């Protein structure tokens, strides 16, 4: 029997705002409010507000916490300073993805992991199975609402509401403070390719904080944004999505995420398999493509070259800001050359496409 979809504390507010709701990762989430393209462009040019409370949070603390995080993740958490955040991943023994995650170092021996919504329970048990270090592992997802305010105007909208100087929070850093007198963790991170913040705070204050941000953003034309815009924004920025670009059949080398793997760590789950793949080489690689003919290369479509299937599309969509049809695909390693001409099987038609440089969009840094 299918389990009922979970609802965030902002579910009724989304309905009042007229959001089109849909299922995602076991949750009923807002897909769009005023239109995916409109919300996408608001984030690229001004500011958008997302409810991302479906994301999971797992806390690891105690004297053995660093040793456990080092064992369970492929990046080097030992390099994290207090208040710093790291993009990392949980891997299987085969070196494939259990999930991609953010690791926040709260204290010397206390870490907060932000994980994908549908993977929270699996991640928790995966970490617990590796806990021979005596650390405490706790699923604290119920303690947090998470909002993401994203776009070039996000700092201006958030600043009047917090007792922090946001200019002092660097990229992939966080501070603890108060937003509208609510204890919060304010992180300069996001999943859109824009500057912005992800804010964690108790669920009881969910509507009050959302409303305060909405009022603060009125003069800057802030729009509530749903998961539809979140997906097109992250695709333009070539940010991986679990179940599409990464999964238990894919390694970081294949996904172009080898930069986060620290092979110089003494040990971590999946290291042996990744070392072996370094020796043998990968069979497939993730590439970005632009359509060169009319059509959209949707998720799951076949990729061909000279009539032979060489891969499949993992994500494909119109890019509202770039005004192109773009996508990501796994192709045979030998075909992953920039400028290579491909064909995408769009229903019964073959539509030409070309391998291009990624990310498709990169914002100017401050």
């Amino acid at each position: 029997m299918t389990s009922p979809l979970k609802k965030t504390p902002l579910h009724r507010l989304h309905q009042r705002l007229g959001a089109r709701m849909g299922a995602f990762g076991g949750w009923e989430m807002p897909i769009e409010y005023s239109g995916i393209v409109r919300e996408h462009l608001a984030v690229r040019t001004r500011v958008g507000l997302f409810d991302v409370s479906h994301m999971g949070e797992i806390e690891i603390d105690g004297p053995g916490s660093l040793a456990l995080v080092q064992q369970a993740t492929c990046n080097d958490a030992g390099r994290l300073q207090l208040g710093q955040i790291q993009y990392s991943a949980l891997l299987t023994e085969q070196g494939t993805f259990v999930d991609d995650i953010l690791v926040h170092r709260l204290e010397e021996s206390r870490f907060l992991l932000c994980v994908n919504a549908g993977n929270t329970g699996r991640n928790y048990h995966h970490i617990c199975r590796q806990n021979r270090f005596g650390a405490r592992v706790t699923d604290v997802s119920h303690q947090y609402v998470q909002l993401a305010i994203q776009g070039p105007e996000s700092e201006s909208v958030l600043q009047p509401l917090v007792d922090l100087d946001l200019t002092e929070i660097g990229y992939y850093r966080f501070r603890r403070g108060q937003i509208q007198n609510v204890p919060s963790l304010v992180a300069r991170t996001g999943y859109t390719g824009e500057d912005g913040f992800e804010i964690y705070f108790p669920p009881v204050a969910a509507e009050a904080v959302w409303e305060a941000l909405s009022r603060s953003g009125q003069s800057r034309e802030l729009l509530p944004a749903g998961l539809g815009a979140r997906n097109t924004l992250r695709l333009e920025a070539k940010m991986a999505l679990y179940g599409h670009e990464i999964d238990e059949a894919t390694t970081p080398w294949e996904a172009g995420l080898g930069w986060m793997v620290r092979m110089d760590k003494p040990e971590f789950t999946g290291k042996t398999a990744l070392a072996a793949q370094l020796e043998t080489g990968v069979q497939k690689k993730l590439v970005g493509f632009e359509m060169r003919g009319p059509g959209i290369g949707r998720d799951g479509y076949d990729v061909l070259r000279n009539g032979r299937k060489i891969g499949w599309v993992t994500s494909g969509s119109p890019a509202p800001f770039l005004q192109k049809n773009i996508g990501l695909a796994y192709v045979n390693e030998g075909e992953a050359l920039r400028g290579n001409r491909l064909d995408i099987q769009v229903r019964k038609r073959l539509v030409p496409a070309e391998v291009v440089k990624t990310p498709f969009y990169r914002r100017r840094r401050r």
Side-chain angles (χ1 to χ4, degrees), residues 13-42:
L13 180 142
H14 298 317
Q15 289 181 317
R16 292 202 300 273
L17 291 175
R20 179 170 70 85
M21 308 295 287
F24 182 82
W27 295 73
E28 186 177 4
M29 297 296 295
I31 305 302
E32 60 179 317
Y33 302 82
S34 55
I36 291 173
V37 171
R38 189 163 179 254
E39 294 162 25
H40 181 114
L41 296 177

PDB file of all heavy atoms in Angstrom, residues 13-42:
ATOM      1  N   LEU A  13      -0.326  27.289   3.633  1.00  0.00           N
ATOM      2  CA  LEU A  13       0.048  28.579   3.047  1.00  0.00           C
ATOM      3  C   LEU A  13       0.218  28.436   1.535  1.00  0.00           C
ATOM      4  O   LEU A  13      -0.231  29.300   0.772  1.00  0.00           O
ATOM      5  CB  LEU A  13       1.344  29.088   3.682  1.00  0.00           C
ATOM      6  CG  LEU A  13       1.868  30.434   3.178  1.00  0.00           C
ATOM      7  CD1 LEU A  13       2.456  31.255   4.324  1.00  0.00           C
ATOM      8  CD2 LEU A  13       2.937  30.234   2.093  1.00  0.00           C
ATOM      9  N   HIS A  14       0.844  27.355   1.106  1.00  0.00           N
ATOM     10  CA  HIS A  14       1.007  27.146  -0.336  1.00  0.00           C
ATOM     11  C   HIS A  14      -0.356  27.059  -1.030  1.00  0.00           C
ATOM     12  O   HIS A  14      -0.544  27.606  -2.119  1.00  0.00           O
ATOM     13  CB  HIS A  14       1.802  25.870  -0.606  1.00  0.00           C
ATOM     14  CG  HIS A  14       3.197  25.897  -0.046  1.00  0.00           C
ATOM     15  ND1 HIS A  14       4.007  26.989  -0.144  1.00  0.00           N
ATOM     16  CD2 HIS A  14       3.913  24.956   0.636  1.00  0.00           C
ATOM     17  CE1 HIS A  14       5.171  26.735   0.440  1.00  0.00           C
ATOM     18  NE2 HIS A  14       5.131  25.509   0.918  1.00  0.00           N
ATOM     19  N   GLN A  15      -1.291  26.379  -0.385  1.00  0.00           N
ATOM     20  CA  GLN A  15      -2.630  26.272  -0.982  1.00  0.00           C
ATOM     21  C   GLN A  15      -3.298  27.648  -1.044  1.00  0.00           C
ATOM     22  O   GLN A  15      -3.949  27.977  -2.035  1.00  0.00           O
ATOM     23  CB  GLN A  15      -3.468  25.293  -0.163  1.00  0.00           C
ATOM     24  CG  GLN A  15      -3.020  23.841  -0.314  1.00  0.00           C
ATOM     25  CD  GLN A  15      -3.870  22.884   0.485  1.00  0.00           C
ATOM     26  OE1 GLN A  15      -4.212  23.164   1.646  1.00  0.00           O
ATOM     27  NE2 GLN A  15      -4.215  21.760  -0.117  1.00  0.00           N
ATOM     28  N   ARG A  16      -3.130  28.450   0.023  1.00  0.00           N
ATOM     29  CA  ARG A  16      -3.716  29.799   0.010  1.00  0.00           C
ATOM     30  C   ARG A  16      -3.114  30.655  -1.100  1.00  0.00           C
ATOM     31  O   ARG A  16      -3.777  31.511  -1.676  1.00  0.00           O
ATOM     32  CB  ARG A  16      -3.491  30.491   1.365  1.00  0.00           C
ATOM     33  CG  ARG A  16      -4.253  29.890   2.518  1.00  0.00           C
ATOM     34  CD  ARG A  16      -4.416  30.903   3.644  1.00  0.00           C
ATOM     35  NE  ARG A  16      -3.165  31.374   4.183  1.00  0.00           N
ATOM     36  CZ  ARG A  16      -2.483  30.783   5.157  1.00  0.00           C
ATOM     37  NH1 ARG A  16      -2.955  29.668   5.699  1.00  0.00           N
ATOM     38  NH2 ARG A  16      -1.358  31.285   5.605  1.00  0.00           N
ATOM     39  N   LEU A  17      -1.830  30.422  -1.398  1.00  0.00           N
ATOM     40  CA  LEU A  17      -1.164  31.179  -2.459  1.00  0.00           C
ATOM     41  C   LEU A  17      -1.511  30.666  -3.853  1.00  0.00           C
ATOM     42  O   LEU A  17      -1.078  31.226  -4.852  1.00  0.00           O
ATOM     43  CB  LEU A  17       0.360  31.118  -2.263  1.00  0.00           C
ATOM     44  CG  LEU A  17       0.916  31.870  -1.048  1.00  0.00           C
ATOM     45  CD1 LEU A  17       2.412  31.622  -0.907  1.00  0.00           C
ATOM     46  CD2 LEU A  17       0.643  33.362  -1.149  1.00  0.00           C
ATOM     47  N   GLY A  18      -2.281  29.582  -3.907  1.00  0.00           N
ATOM     48  CA  GLY A  18      -2.712  29.047  -5.201  1.00  0.00           C
ATOM     49  C   GLY A  18      -1.683  28.188  -5.897  1.00  0.00           C
ATOM     50  O   GLY A  18      -1.732  28.029  -7.130  1.00  0.00           O
ATOM     51  N   ALA A  19      -0.749  27.632  -5.151  1.00  0.00           N
ATOM     52  CA  ALA A  19       0.299  26.802  -5.758  1.00  0.00           C
ATOM     53  C   ALA A  19      -0.297  25.545  -6.387  1.00  0.00           C
ATOM     54  O   ALA A  19      -1.251  24.969  -5.865  1.00  0.00           O
ATOM     55  CB  ALA A  19       1.327  26.415  -4.713  1.00  0.00           C
ATOM     56  N   ARG A  20       0.288  25.143  -7.501  1.00  0.00           N
ATOM     57  CA  ARG A  20      -0.020  23.811  -8.046  1.00  0.00           C
ATOM     58  C   ARG A  20       0.865  22.825  -7.317  1.00  0.00           C
ATOM     59  O   ARG A  20       2.095  22.937  -7.362  1.00  0.00           O
ATOM     60  CB  ARG A  20       0.242  23.768  -9.548  1.00  0.00           C
ATOM     61  CG  ARG A  20      -0.042  22.401 -10.171  1.00  0.00           C
ATOM     62  CD  ARG A  20      -0.003  22.469 -11.690  1.00  0.00           C
ATOM     63  NE  ARG A  20       1.333  22.686 -12.217  1.00  0.00           N
ATOM     64  CZ  ARG A  20       2.242  21.717 -12.452  1.00  0.00           C
ATOM     65  NH1 ARG A  20       1.939  20.445 -12.157  1.00  0.00           N
ATOM     66  NH2 ARG A  20       3.432  22.007 -12.939  1.00  0.00           N
ATOM     67  N   MET A  21       0.235  21.884  -6.608  1.00  0.00           N
ATOM     68  CA  MET A  21       0.975  20.957  -5.767  1.00  0.00           C
ATOM     69  C   MET A  21       1.211  19.644  -6.512  1.00  0.00           C
ATOM     70  O   MET A  21       0.441  19.251  -7.389  1.00  0.00           O
ATOM     71  CB  MET A  21       0.215  20.688  -4.465  1.00  0.00           C
ATOM     72  CG  MET A  21      -0.200  21.944  -3.698  1.00  0.00           C
ATOM     73  SD  MET A  21       1.191  22.922  -3.056  1.00  0.00           S
ATOM     74  CE  MET A  21       1.752  21.885  -1.700  1.00  0.00           C
ATOM     75  N   GLY A  22       2.296  18.953  -6.131  1.00  0.00           N
ATOM     76  CA  GLY A  22       2.591  17.669  -6.740  1.00  0.00           C
ATOM     77  C   GLY A  22       3.482  16.837  -5.836  1.00  0.00           C
ATOM     78  O   GLY A  22       4.029  17.337  -4.837  1.00  0.00           O
ATOM     79  N   ALA A  23       3.639  15.564  -6.181  1.00  0.00           N
ATOM     80  CA  ALA A  23       4.437  14.643  -5.371  1.00  0.00           C
ATOM     81  C   ALA A  23       5.914  14.763  -5.719  1.00  0.00           C
ATOM     82  O   ALA A  23       6.280  14.840  -6.899  1.00  0.00           O
ATOM     83  CB  ALA A  23       3.970  13.212  -5.592  1.00  0.00           C
ATOM     84  N   PHE A  24       6.753  14.774  -4.678  1.00  0.00           N
ATOM     85  CA  PHE A  24       8.204  14.772  -4.895  1.00  0.00           C
ATOM     86  C   PHE A  24       8.882  14.160  -3.671  1.00  0.00           C
ATOM     87  O   PHE A  24       8.741  14.673  -2.554  1.00  0.00           O
ATOM     88  CB  PHE A  24       8.739  16.189  -5.118  1.00  0.00           C
ATOM     89  CG  PHE A  24      10.228  16.225  -5.393  1.00  0.00           C
ATOM     90  CD1 PHE A  24      10.710  15.981  -6.677  1.00  0.00           C
ATOM     91  CD2 PHE A  24      11.139  16.451  -4.373  1.00  0.00           C
ATOM     92  CE1 PHE A  24      12.074  15.981  -6.930  1.00  0.00           C
ATOM     93  CE2 PHE A  24      12.506  16.458  -4.619  1.00  0.00           C
ATOM     94  CZ  PHE A  24      12.977  16.227  -5.893  1.00  0.00           C
ATOM     95  N   GLY A  25       9.586  13.053  -3.887  1.00  0.00           N
ATOM     96  CA  GLY A  25      10.360  12.435  -2.805  1.00  0.00           C
ATOM     97  C   GLY A  25       9.516  12.039  -1.615  1.00  0.00           C
ATOM     98  O   GLY A  25      10.010  12.068  -0.480  1.00  0.00           O
ATOM     99  N   GLY A  26       8.250  11.683  -1.841  1.00  0.00           N
ATOM    100  CA  GLY A  26       7.380  11.278  -0.750  1.00  0.00           C
ATOM    101  C   GLY A  26       6.642  12.435  -0.093  1.00  0.00           C
ATOM    102  O   GLY A  26       5.942  12.238   0.902  1.00  0.00           O
ATOM    103  N   TRP A  27       6.782  13.646  -0.646  1.00  0.00           N
ATOM    104  CA  TRP A  27       6.139  14.835  -0.091  1.00  0.00           C
ATOM    105  C   TRP A  27       5.202  15.450  -1.126  1.00  0.00           C
ATOM    106  O   TRP A  27       5.424  15.330  -2.317  1.00  0.00           O
ATOM    107  CB  TRP A  27       7.192  15.870   0.297  1.00  0.00           C
ATOM    108  CG  TRP A  27       8.086  15.433   1.405  1.00  0.00           C
ATOM    109  CD1 TRP A  27       9.091  14.506   1.354  1.00  0.00           C
ATOM    110  CD2 TRP A  27       8.054  15.898   2.750  1.00  0.00           C
ATOM    111  NE1 TRP A  27       9.674  14.370   2.576  1.00  0.00           N
ATOM    112  CE2 TRP A  27       9.073  15.217   3.461  1.00  0.00           C
ATOM    113  CE3 TRP A  27       7.284  16.845   3.435  1.00  0.00           C
ATOM    114  CZ2 TRP A  27       9.318  15.444   4.811  1.00  0.00           C
ATOM    115  CZ3 TRP A  27       7.530  17.073   4.780  1.00  0.00           C
ATOM    116  CH2 TRP A  27       8.526  16.376   5.466  1.00  0.00           C
ATOM    117  N   GLU A  28       4.179  16.157  -0.623  1.00  0.00           N
ATOM    118  CA  GLU A  28       3.337  16.969  -1.495  1.00  0.00           C
ATOM    119  C   GLU A  28       3.883  18.387  -1.449  1.00  0.00           C
ATOM    120  O   GLU A  28       3.818  19.056  -0.413  1.00  0.00           O
ATOM    121  CB  GLU A  28       1.879  16.955  -1.047  1.00  0.00           C
ATOM    122  CG  GLU A  28       0.969  17.676  -2.036  1.00  0.00           C
ATOM    123  CD  GLU A  28      -0.500  17.611  -1.645  1.00  0.00           C
ATOM    124  OE1 GLU A  28      -0.807  17.079  -0.564  1.00  0.00           O
ATOM    125  OE2 GLU A  28      -1.332  18.114  -2.421  1.00  0.00           O
ATOM    126  N   MET A  29       4.457  18.827  -2.566  1.00  0.00           N
ATOM    127  CA  MET A  29       5.219  20.076  -2.592  1.00  0.00           C
ATOM    128  C   MET A  29       4.678  21.032  -3.650  1.00  0.00           C
ATOM    129  O   MET A  29       4.073  20.602  -4.634  1.00  0.00           O
ATOM    130  CB  MET A  29       6.689  19.775  -2.904  1.00  0.00           C
ATOM    131  CG  MET A  29       7.397  18.923  -1.865  1.00  0.00           C
ATOM    132  SD  MET A  29       7.521  19.738  -0.261  1.00  0.00           S
ATOM    133  CE  MET A  29       8.597  21.128  -0.640  1.00  0.00           C
ATOM    134  N   PRO A  30       4.904  22.325  -3.482  1.00  0.00           N
ATOM    135  CA  PRO A  30       4.505  23.279  -4.531  1.00  0.00           C
ATOM    136  C   PRO A  30       5.386  23.125  -5.763  1.00  0.00           C
ATOM    137  O   PRO A  30       6.609  23.175  -5.667  1.00  0.00           O
ATOM    138  CB  PRO A  30       4.711  24.649  -3.866  1.00  0.00           C
ATOM    139  CG  PRO A  30       5.694  24.414  -2.768  1.00  0.00           C
ATOM    140  CD  PRO A  30       5.491  23.000  -2.302  1.00  0.00           C
ATOM    141  N   ILE A  31       4.773  22.912  -6.914  1.00  0.00           N
ATOM    142  CA  ILE A  31       5.510  22.800  -8.175  1.00  0.00           C
ATOM    143  C   ILE A  31       5.684  24.183  -8.803  1.00  0.00           C
ATOM    144  O   ILE A  31       6.740  24.523  -9.303  1.00  0.00           O
ATOM    145  CB  ILE A  31       4.783  21.859  -9.156  1.00  0.00           C
ATOM    146  CG1 ILE A  31       4.539  20.488  -8.488  1.00  0.00           C
ATOM    147  CG2 ILE A  31       5.588  21.713 -10.446  1.00  0.00           C
ATOM    148  CD1 ILE A  31       5.790  19.784  -8.012  1.00  0.00           C
ATOM    149  N   GLU A  32       4.603  24.981  -8.771  1.00  0.00           N
ATOM    150  CA  GLU A  32       4.693  26.347  -9.295  1.00  0.00           C
ATOM    151  C   GLU A  32       3.550  27.164  -8.701  1.00  0.00           C
ATOM    152  O   GLU A  32       2.530  26.629  -8.271  1.00  0.00           O
ATOM    153  CB  GLU A  32       4.623  26.349 -10.822  1.00  0.00           C
ATOM    154  CG  GLU A  32       3.349  25.758 -11.399  1.00  0.00           C
ATOM    155  CD  GLU A  32       3.325  25.810 -12.920  1.00  0.00           C
ATOM    156  OE1 GLU A  32       3.717  26.839 -13.484  1.00  0.00           O
ATOM    157  OE2 GLU A  32       2.904  24.800 -13.522  1.00  0.00           O
ATOM    158  N   TYR A  33       3.744  28.481  -8.681  1.00  0.00           N
ATOM    159  CA  TYR A  33       2.717  29.414  -8.203  1.00  0.00           C
ATOM    160  C   TYR A  33       2.205  30.261  -9.377  1.00  0.00           C
ATOM    161  O   TYR A  33       1.039  30.220  -9.728  1.00  0.00           O
ATOM    162  CB  TYR A  33       3.283  30.331  -7.125  1.00  0.00           C
ATOM    163  CG  TYR A  33       3.856  29.630  -5.919  1.00  0.00           C
ATOM    164  CD1 TYR A  33       5.149  29.125  -5.937  1.00  0.00           C
ATOM    165  CD2 TYR A  33       3.104  29.486  -4.748  1.00  0.00           C
ATOM    166  CE1 TYR A  33       5.689  28.496  -4.837  1.00  0.00           C
ATOM    167  CE2 TYR A  33       3.632  28.856  -3.629  1.00  0.00           C
ATOM    168  CZ  TYR A  33       4.931  28.363  -3.690  1.00  0.00           C
ATOM    169  OH  TYR A  33       5.467  27.728  -2.596  1.00  0.00           O
ATOM    170  N   SER A  34       3.108  31.051  -9.952  1.00  0.00           N
ATOM    171  CA  SER A  34       2.696  31.958 -11.026  1.00  0.00           C
ATOM    172  C   SER A  34       3.241  31.536 -12.385  1.00  0.00           C
ATOM    173  O   SER A  34       3.062  32.253 -13.372  1.00  0.00           O
ATOM    174  CB  SER A  34       3.171  33.381 -10.704  1.00  0.00           C
ATOM    175  OG  SER A  34       4.574  33.410 -10.466  1.00  0.00           O
ATOM    176  N   GLY A  35       3.944  30.397 -12.427  1.00  0.00           N
ATOM    177  CA  GLY A  35       4.501  29.897 -13.681  1.00  0.00           C
ATOM    178  C   GLY A  35       5.998  29.647 -13.547  1.00  0.00           C
ATOM    179  O   GLY A  35       6.726  30.464 -12.976  1.00  0.00           O
ATOM    180  N   ILE A  36       6.449  28.508 -14.067  1.00  0.00           N
ATOM    181  CA  ILE A  36       7.849  28.114 -13.896  1.00  0.00           C
ATOM    182  C   ILE A  36       8.793  29.140 -14.527  1.00  0.00           C
ATOM    183  O   ILE A  36       9.791  29.537 -13.921  1.00  0.00           O
ATOM    184  CB  ILE A  36       8.078  26.713 -14.497  1.00  0.00           C
ATOM    185  CG1 ILE A  36       7.358  25.659 -13.647  1.00  0.00           C
ATOM    186  CG2 ILE A  36       9.578  26.406 -14.587  1.00  0.00           C
ATOM    187  CD1 ILE A  36       7.379  24.258 -14.231  1.00  0.00           C
ATOM    188  N   VAL A  37       8.481  29.601 -15.737  1.00  0.00           N
ATOM    189  CA  VAL A  37       9.377  30.553 -16.406  1.00  0.00           C
ATOM    190  C   VAL A  37       9.455  31.855 -15.611  1.00  0.00           C
ATOM    191  O   VAL A  37      10.540  32.405 -15.384  1.00  0.00           O
ATOM    192  CB  VAL A  37       8.897  30.813 -17.846  1.00  0.00           C
ATOM    193  CG1 VAL A  37       9.689  31.954 -18.475  1.00  0.00           C
ATOM    194  CG2 VAL A  37       9.026  29.552 -18.685  1.00  0.00           C
ATOM    195  N   ARG A  38       8.313  32.357 -15.167  1.00  0.00           N
ATOM    196  CA  ARG A  38       8.288  33.617 -14.405  1.00  0.00           C
ATOM    197  C   ARG A  38       9.087  33.485 -13.107  1.00  0.00           C
ATOM    198  O   ARG A  38       9.861  34.364 -12.739  1.00  0.00           O
ATOM    199  CB  ARG A  38       6.828  33.988 -14.121  1.00  0.00           C
ATOM    200  CG  ARG A  38       6.631  35.356 -13.528  1.00  0.00           C
ATOM    201  CD  ARG A  38       5.183  35.816 -13.670  1.00  0.00           C
ATOM    202  NE  ARG A  38       5.001  37.131 -13.059  1.00  0.00           N
ATOM    203  CZ  ARG A  38       4.384  37.335 -11.903  1.00  0.00           C
ATOM    204  NH1 ARG A  38       3.859  36.309 -11.243  1.00  0.00           N
ATOM    205  NH2 ARG A  38       4.266  38.554 -11.407  1.00  0.00           N
ATOM    206  N   GLU A  39       8.908  32.359 -12.421  1.00  0.00           N
ATOM    207  CA  GLU A  39       9.623  32.149 -11.158  1.00  0.00           C
ATOM    208  C   GLU A  39      11.126  31.978 -11.407  1.00  0.00           C
ATOM    209  O   GLU A  39      11.959  32.478 -10.653  1.00  0.00           O
ATOM    210  CB  GLU A  39       9.029  30.931 -10.439  1.00  0.00           C
ATOM    211  CG  GLU A  39       7.597  31.156  -9.983  1.00  0.00           C
ATOM    212  CD  GLU A  39       6.840  29.882  -9.668  1.00  0.00           C
ATOM    213  OE1 GLU A  39       7.485  28.867  -9.339  1.00  0.00           O
ATOM    214  OE2 GLU A  39       5.596  29.894  -9.764  1.00  0.00           O
ATOM    215  N   HIS A  40      11.465  31.264 -12.467  1.00  0.00           N
ATOM    216  CA  HIS A  40      12.875  31.062 -12.832  1.00  0.00           C
ATOM    217  C   HIS A  40      13.553  32.413 -13.075  1.00  0.00           C
ATOM    218  O   HIS A  40      14.626  32.694 -12.532  1.00  0.00           O
ATOM    219  CB  HIS A  40      12.926  30.196 -14.092  1.00  0.00           C
ATOM    220  CG  HIS A  40      14.297  29.875 -14.592  1.00  0.00           C
ATOM    221  ND1 HIS A  40      14.812  28.595 -14.592  1.00  0.00           N
ATOM    222  CD2 HIS A  40      15.266  30.657 -15.120  1.00  0.00           C
ATOM    223  CE1 HIS A  40      16.037  28.612 -15.095  1.00  0.00           C
ATOM    224  NE2 HIS A  40      16.343  29.853 -15.429  1.00  0.00           N
ATOM    225  N   LEU A  41      12.919  33.257 -13.886  1.00  0.00           N
ATOM    226  CA  LEU A  41      13.525  34.549 -14.224  1.00  0.00           C
ATOM    227  C   LEU A  41      13.588  35.469 -13.006  1.00  0.00           C
ATOM    228  O   LEU A  41      14.525  36.268 -12.878  1.00  0.00           O
ATOM    229  CB  LEU A  41      12.737  35.202 -15.362  1.00  0.00           C
ATOM    230  CG  LEU A  41      12.778  34.432 -16.695  1.00  0.00           C
ATOM    231  CD1 LEU A  41      11.917  35.128 -17.732  1.00  0.00           C
ATOM    232  CD2 LEU A  41      14.220  34.290 -17.200  1.00  0.00           C
ATOM    233  N   ALA A  42      12.618  35.350 -12.101  1.00  0.00           N
ATOM    234  CA  ALA A  42      12.671  36.156 -10.868  1.00  0.00           C
ATOM    235  C   ALA A  42      13.922  35.814 -10.073  1.00  0.00           C
ATOM    236  O   ALA A  42      14.606  36.699  -9.539  1.00  0.00           O
ATOM    237  CB  ALA A  42      11.421  35.906 -10.035  1.00  0.00           C
TER     238      ALA A  42
END
